[in-house]
Amino acid sequence: RKSNLVPWLPRSVVAGDNTHMLRPRSPSAPRAALLHAARRRLSSRSDFRGVFPIMATPFRADESLDVDGFQKSMRFMAEAGCDGATIVGVLGESNRMTDRERETLIRAAVDAVADCGRQFPICVGTSHAGTAATVALSQMAQELGAAAVMVTPTKEPAPASDDTLAEMYARVAEGCPGLPIVLQDHPASTQVHMGPKLIARIAHEVPAVACIKLEALPTPARIAALRKLWASELPPASDCTILTGLGALYAGFDMEQGTDGFMTGFAFPEILQAMNAAAQRKEWERAHALYQRYLPLLVFEQQPGVAVRKELYRLRGLIECAHVRHPAAPAAAPALAKALAEQVERSLPGIDVSQPLPASLFA
């Protein structure tokens, strides 16, 4: 079909001393079937459930993309049993990335999981200060094989009206037919405050909105309010789910209000899978026991910036360098990195964290 990509997007990317020529190609029949199934799975709405880690973007010390490390971390998440992954989000340092690098990462992510033997949908963060640019980035993601996009509004000098915010999502949906949208509500990073009624309205008016990544405090109360609106005056136009974010910091309480899983950057998604499995079975004592057991690790990781999380990726052997792009501090302070390693050992004594955590750990 005719490409919707804006014409100036390049097809080759130079990263450091490596040239990545990631040109379109005709996938093999099995690979094409898996990509199609991943899109169909999220397009059906009902399966936007489970654990979708937000991926860190690895950089070398010279700040070039580490594509090999990125693909390794993608394959690890698939092997660990995650239900998909989200790239180029806040943890992915999307605000420090060029459009050319975005294209490289989307291609690399889709390619990395195409041979994992099962559906593994890739969701791509496409938020931008301008609606037209958000639409263009979403079209690029769709063209390159993404199964969904994650969109959050950007602060304006004069706060945007509810009508304007609803129109933004409608325009993305119109520009990307058939592509599910994750509505990210994260005022801590955007300074845009969307009340439960506005979120319910957008899900009601824009059928492409398939999931709410709810990260506005207090999360349990807002989840309850949204569920109430959906059950009464503003039902979603299609099956829309709610995923917990914010590093799963309030997971125990969010789960009780009816979340459908997690979409967050916590570097141990296996723990979130175990919690979510217990919650979906309504085994609340079990879910809370797991939450309390690993809460120190959740709290430690949830610190400003992305350095701690990238250091956890390094400790897990997913990336070689935990470098954070300028102007942020390039890495976690030595004292912080040491304390983090000690907490990992306290939370997971004797466990080889470079491998997916064994299910027996949560039995």
Side-chain angles (χ1 to χ4, degrees), residues 30-31 33-39 41 49 51-53 74-85 110 112-122 273:
R31 290 162 65 92
L34 283 170
L35 288 173
H36 176 71
R39 288 199 186 101
R41 175 193 170 195
R49 295 176 165 86
V51 176
F52 295 75
M74 292 296 306
R75 287 189 288 266
F76 181 93
M77 295 304 175
E79 183 183 351
C82 296
D83 297 279
V110 171
V113 301
D115 293 325
C116 72
R118 64 182 177 89
Q119 300 174 25
F120 194 85
I122 303 297
Q273 288 175 299

Short mmCIF file of all heavy atoms in Angstrom, two decimals, residues 30-31 33-39 41 49 51-53 74-85 110 112-122 273:
data_model
loop_
_atom_site.label_atom_id
_atom_site.label_comp_id
_atom_site.label_asym_id
_atom_site.label_seq_id
_atom_site.Cartn_x
_atom_site.Cartn_y
_atom_site.Cartn_z
N PRO A 30 6.47 -16.95 8.04
CA PRO A 30 6.24 -17.02 9.49
C PRO A 30 6.40 -15.67 10.17
O PRO A 30 5.62 -15.31 11.04
CB PRO A 30 7.31 -18.03 9.96
CG PRO A 30 7.64 -18.83 8.75
CD PRO A 30 7.54 -17.87 7.61
N ARG A 31 7.42 -14.89 9.78
CA ARG A 31 7.63 -13.58 10.40
C ARG A 31 6.48 -12.65 10.07
O ARG A 31 5.99 -11.92 10.94
CB ARG A 31 8.96 -12.99 9.91
CG ARG A 31 10.18 -13.68 10.43
CD ARG A 31 11.40 -13.36 9.59
NE ARG A 31 11.75 -11.95 9.69
CZ ARG A 31 12.61 -11.44 10.57
NH1 ARG A 31 13.16 -12.24 11.45
NH2 ARG A 31 12.90 -10.17 10.57
N ALA A 33 3.44 -13.46 9.38
CA ALA A 33 2.25 -13.91 10.11
C ALA A 33 2.29 -13.45 11.56
O ALA A 33 1.27 -13.04 12.12
CB ALA A 33 2.15 -15.44 10.05
N LEU A 34 3.46 -13.49 12.19
CA LEU A 34 3.57 -13.06 13.58
C LEU A 34 3.34 -11.56 13.71
O LEU A 34 2.68 -11.09 14.64
CB LEU A 34 4.95 -13.44 14.14
CG LEU A 34 5.12 -14.91 14.52
CD1 LEU A 34 6.58 -15.21 14.83
CD2 LEU A 34 4.24 -15.27 15.72
N LEU A 35 3.90 -10.77 12.79
CA LEU A 35 3.68 -9.32 12.82
C LEU A 35 2.21 -9.00 12.64
O LEU A 35 1.65 -8.15 13.34
CB LEU A 35 4.51 -8.64 11.73
CG LEU A 35 6.02 -8.58 11.95
CD1 LEU A 35 6.71 -8.03 10.71
CD2 LEU A 35 6.34 -7.72 13.16
N HIS A 36 1.56 -9.69 11.70
CA HIS A 36 0.13 -9.47 11.47
C HIS A 36 -0.67 -9.87 12.71
O HIS A 36 -1.60 -9.18 13.12
CB HIS A 36 -0.33 -10.27 10.26
CG HIS A 36 -1.82 -10.17 10.02
ND1 HIS A 36 -2.42 -9.02 9.55
CD2 HIS A 36 -2.82 -11.08 10.20
CE1 HIS A 36 -3.72 -9.22 9.44
NE2 HIS A 36 -3.99 -10.45 9.83
N ALA A 37 -0.30 -10.99 13.33
CA ALA A 37 -1.02 -11.46 14.52
C ALA A 37 -0.86 -10.50 15.67
O ALA A 37 -1.79 -10.27 16.44
CB ALA A 37 -0.52 -12.86 14.92
N ALA A 38 0.33 -9.91 15.81
CA ALA A 38 0.55 -8.94 16.89
C ALA A 38 -0.34 -7.73 16.71
O ALA A 38 -0.94 -7.24 17.67
CB ALA A 38 2.02 -8.51 16.91
N ARG A 39 -0.44 -7.24 15.46
CA ARG A 39 -1.33 -6.10 15.22
C ARG A 39 -2.78 -6.48 15.48
O ARG A 39 -3.54 -5.72 16.08
CB ARG A 39 -1.17 -5.61 13.77
CG ARG A 39 0.13 -4.89 13.49
CD ARG A 39 -0.02 -4.06 12.22
NE ARG A 39 1.26 -3.46 11.85
CZ ARG A 39 2.06 -3.93 10.90
NH1 ARG A 39 1.72 -5.02 10.25
NH2 ARG A 39 3.18 -3.33 10.61
N ARG A 41 -3.90 -8.78 17.41
CA ARG A 41 -4.12 -9.01 18.83
C ARG A 41 -4.47 -7.71 19.53
O ARG A 41 -5.45 -7.61 20.26
CB ARG A 41 -2.88 -9.62 19.47
CG ARG A 41 -3.01 -9.75 20.98
CD ARG A 41 -1.69 -10.05 21.66
NE ARG A 41 -1.87 -9.95 23.09
CZ ARG A 41 -0.89 -9.87 23.96
NH1 ARG A 41 0.35 -9.89 23.53
NH2 ARG A 41 -1.12 -9.77 25.23
N ARG A 49 -3.65 -6.67 27.72
CA ARG A 49 -3.55 -6.99 29.13
C ARG A 49 -2.23 -7.71 29.39
O ARG A 49 -1.66 -8.30 28.49
CB ARG A 49 -4.70 -7.90 29.57
CG ARG A 49 -6.08 -7.25 29.49
CD ARG A 49 -7.17 -8.25 29.84
NE ARG A 49 -8.43 -7.58 30.11
CZ ARG A 49 -9.31 -7.25 29.18
NH1 ARG A 49 -9.08 -7.55 27.91
NH2 ARG A 49 -10.43 -6.64 29.50
N VAL A 51 1.80 -7.70 31.00
CA VAL A 51 2.95 -6.88 31.38
C VAL A 51 3.69 -6.45 30.12
O VAL A 51 4.16 -7.28 29.34
CB VAL A 51 3.90 -7.67 32.32
CG1 VAL A 51 5.15 -6.85 32.62
CG2 VAL A 51 3.18 -8.03 33.61
N PHE A 52 3.79 -5.14 29.95
CA PHE A 52 4.47 -4.52 28.81
C PHE A 52 5.57 -3.60 29.35
O PHE A 52 5.31 -2.44 29.71
CB PHE A 52 3.48 -3.68 27.98
CG PHE A 52 2.39 -4.47 27.31
CD1 PHE A 52 1.32 -4.97 28.04
CD2 PHE A 52 2.44 -4.72 25.95
CE1 PHE A 52 0.31 -5.70 27.43
CE2 PHE A 52 1.44 -5.45 25.32
CZ PHE A 52 0.37 -5.95 26.07
N PRO A 53 6.79 -4.08 29.47
CA PRO A 53 7.85 -3.22 30.00
C PRO A 53 8.14 -2.03 29.09
O PRO A 53 8.10 -2.16 27.87
CB PRO A 53 9.06 -4.15 30.08
CG PRO A 53 8.76 -5.26 29.12
CD PRO A 53 7.28 -5.43 29.12
N MET A 74 15.44 -6.52 24.14
CA MET A 74 14.12 -6.86 23.61
C MET A 74 13.90 -8.37 23.63
O MET A 74 12.84 -8.86 24.05
CB MET A 74 13.99 -6.33 22.18
CG MET A 74 13.94 -4.82 22.04
SD MET A 74 12.48 -4.07 22.81
CE MET A 74 11.17 -4.97 22.04
N ARG A 75 14.90 -9.11 23.17
CA ARG A 75 14.76 -10.57 23.15
C ARG A 75 14.64 -11.13 24.56
O ARG A 75 13.92 -12.10 24.81
CB ARG A 75 15.95 -11.20 22.42
CG ARG A 75 15.91 -10.99 20.89
CD ARG A 75 16.97 -11.81 20.19
NE ARG A 75 18.31 -11.26 20.43
CZ ARG A 75 18.92 -10.40 19.63
NH1 ARG A 75 18.32 -9.96 18.53
NH2 ARG A 75 20.14 -9.97 19.90
N PHE A 76 15.34 -10.51 25.52
CA PHE A 76 15.26 -10.96 26.91
C PHE A 76 13.82 -10.82 27.42
O PHE A 76 13.30 -11.73 28.10
CB PHE A 76 16.21 -10.13 27.78
CG PHE A 76 16.23 -10.52 29.23
CD1 PHE A 76 17.14 -11.44 29.72
CD2 PHE A 76 15.31 -9.98 30.12
CE1 PHE A 76 17.15 -11.81 31.06
CE2 PHE A 76 15.31 -10.34 31.46
CZ PHE A 76 16.23 -11.25 31.93
N MET A 77 13.19 -9.70 27.14
CA MET A 77 11.82 -9.49 27.62
C MET A 77 10.86 -10.49 27.02
O MET A 77 9.94 -10.97 27.69
CB MET A 77 11.37 -8.06 27.31
CG MET A 77 12.17 -6.99 28.04
SD MET A 77 12.15 -7.22 29.85
CE MET A 77 13.29 -5.92 30.37
N ALA A 78 11.07 -10.84 25.76
CA ALA A 78 10.23 -11.86 25.15
C ALA A 78 10.47 -13.22 25.82
O ALA A 78 9.52 -13.96 26.13
CB ALA A 78 10.51 -11.94 23.65
N GLU A 79 11.74 -13.55 26.07
CA GLU A 79 12.07 -14.81 26.72
C GLU A 79 11.52 -14.87 28.14
O GLU A 79 11.14 -15.94 28.63
CB GLU A 79 13.59 -14.99 26.75
CG GLU A 79 14.05 -16.31 27.34
CD GLU A 79 15.57 -16.43 27.42
OE1 GLU A 79 16.28 -15.57 26.87
OE2 GLU A 79 16.05 -17.40 28.05
N ALA A 80 11.45 -13.71 28.80
CA ALA A 80 10.96 -13.66 30.18
C ALA A 80 9.44 -13.78 30.26
O ALA A 80 8.88 -13.81 31.36
CB ALA A 80 11.41 -12.36 30.84
N GLY A 81 8.77 -13.85 29.11
CA GLY A 81 7.33 -14.07 29.11
C GLY A 81 6.47 -12.83 29.10
O GLY A 81 5.25 -12.92 29.34
N CYS A 82 7.07 -11.67 28.84
CA CYS A 82 6.29 -10.44 28.78
C CYS A 82 5.30 -10.52 27.63
O CYS A 82 5.46 -11.29 26.69
CB CYS A 82 7.19 -9.23 28.63
SG CYS A 82 8.30 -8.97 30.03
N ASP A 83 4.26 -9.69 27.70
CA ASP A 83 3.19 -9.75 26.70
C ASP A 83 3.42 -8.80 25.54
O ASP A 83 2.63 -8.75 24.60
CB ASP A 83 1.86 -9.43 27.38
CG ASP A 83 1.50 -10.46 28.42
OD1 ASP A 83 1.00 -11.53 28.04
OD2 ASP A 83 1.77 -10.22 29.62
N GLY A 84 4.48 -8.05 25.57
CA GLY A 84 4.83 -7.06 24.56
C GLY A 84 5.79 -6.09 25.21
O GLY A 84 6.23 -6.30 26.35
N ALA A 85 6.12 -5.01 24.52
CA ALA A 85 7.03 -4.02 25.09
C ALA A 85 6.74 -2.66 24.46
O ALA A 85 6.23 -2.57 23.34
CB ALA A 85 8.49 -4.41 24.86
N VAL A 110 11.28 -4.42 16.14
CA VAL A 110 10.44 -5.33 15.37
C VAL A 110 11.26 -6.51 14.87
O VAL A 110 10.83 -7.67 14.94
CB VAL A 110 9.77 -4.58 14.21
CG1 VAL A 110 9.06 -5.56 13.27
CG2 VAL A 110 8.77 -3.55 14.74
N ALA A 112 14.04 -7.68 16.22
CA ALA A 112 14.56 -8.50 17.32
C ALA A 112 13.58 -9.55 17.79
O ALA A 112 13.98 -10.65 18.18
CB ALA A 112 14.96 -7.60 18.49
N VAL A 113 12.28 -9.23 17.77
CA VAL A 113 11.30 -10.17 18.32
C VAL A 113 10.52 -10.93 17.25
O VAL A 113 9.67 -11.75 17.58
CB VAL A 113 10.30 -9.43 19.25
CG1 VAL A 113 11.06 -8.76 20.39
CG2 VAL A 113 9.46 -8.41 18.49
N ALA A 114 10.83 -10.66 15.99
CA ALA A 114 10.08 -11.31 14.90
C ALA A 114 10.25 -12.82 14.91
O ALA A 114 9.38 -13.55 14.43
CB ALA A 114 10.50 -10.74 13.56
N ASP A 115 11.36 -13.31 15.46
CA ASP A 115 11.63 -14.74 15.47
C ASP A 115 11.46 -15.37 16.86
O ASP A 115 12.00 -16.44 17.13
CB ASP A 115 13.05 -15.02 14.96
CG ASP A 115 13.21 -14.67 13.48
OD1 ASP A 115 12.25 -14.88 12.73
OD2 ASP A 115 14.29 -14.20 13.10
N CYS A 116 10.72 -14.70 17.75
CA CYS A 116 10.59 -15.24 19.11
C CYS A 116 9.58 -16.38 19.19
O CYS A 116 9.42 -17.00 20.24
CB CYS A 116 10.26 -14.14 20.11
SG CYS A 116 8.57 -13.50 19.99
N GLY A 117 8.86 -16.63 18.10
CA GLY A 117 7.97 -17.78 18.06
C GLY A 117 6.57 -17.54 18.58
O GLY A 117 5.77 -18.47 18.67
N ARG A 118 6.25 -16.31 18.92
CA ARG A 118 4.90 -15.99 19.39
C ARG A 118 4.64 -14.52 19.14
O ARG A 118 5.53 -13.75 18.75
CB ARG A 118 4.76 -16.29 20.90
CG ARG A 118 5.66 -15.44 21.79
CD ARG A 118 5.51 -15.82 23.25
NE ARG A 118 6.39 -15.08 24.13
CZ ARG A 118 6.08 -13.91 24.70
NH1 ARG A 118 4.90 -13.35 24.47
NH2 ARG A 118 6.95 -13.31 25.50
N GLN A 119 3.40 -14.12 19.36
CA GLN A 119 3.06 -12.71 19.22
C GLN A 119 3.78 -11.90 20.30
O GLN A 119 3.76 -12.26 21.47
CB GLN A 119 1.55 -12.51 19.36
CG GLN A 119 0.72 -13.25 18.34
CD GLN A 119 -0.76 -13.13 18.63
OE1 GLN A 119 -1.21 -12.19 19.27
NE2 GLN A 119 -1.53 -14.11 18.17
N PHE A 120 4.41 -10.83 19.89
CA PHE A 120 5.07 -9.94 20.85
C PHE A 120 4.92 -8.51 20.33
O PHE A 120 5.80 -7.98 19.66
CB PHE A 120 6.55 -10.31 21.02
CG PHE A 120 7.19 -9.66 22.22
CD1 PHE A 120 7.08 -10.24 23.48
CD2 PHE A 120 7.87 -8.45 22.10
CE1 PHE A 120 7.66 -9.64 24.59
CE2 PHE A 120 8.44 -7.85 23.20
CZ PHE A 120 8.34 -8.45 24.45
N PRO A 121 3.79 -7.88 20.63
CA PRO A 121 3.51 -6.56 20.06
C PRO A 121 4.47 -5.49 20.55
O PRO A 121 4.83 -5.45 21.74
CB PRO A 121 2.09 -6.26 20.55
CG PRO A 121 1.53 -7.59 20.97
CD PRO A 121 2.68 -8.40 21.44
N ILE A 122 4.87 -4.61 19.65
CA ILE A 122 5.71 -3.47 19.97
C ILE A 122 4.86 -2.21 19.96
O ILE A 122 4.23 -1.88 18.95
CB ILE A 122 6.87 -3.31 18.96
CG1 ILE A 122 7.72 -4.58 18.91
CG2 ILE A 122 7.73 -2.10 19.32
CD1 ILE A 122 8.41 -4.93 20.20
N GLN A 273 4.66 -9.79 36.59
CA GLN A 273 3.84 -10.89 36.04
C GLN A 273 3.25 -11.73 37.17
O GLN A 273 2.07 -12.10 37.12
CB GLN A 273 4.69 -11.77 35.13
CG GLN A 273 5.05 -11.13 33.80
CD GLN A 273 5.99 -12.01 33.00
OE1 GLN A 273 7.11 -12.31 33.42
NE2 GLN A 273 5.56 -12.43 31.84
#
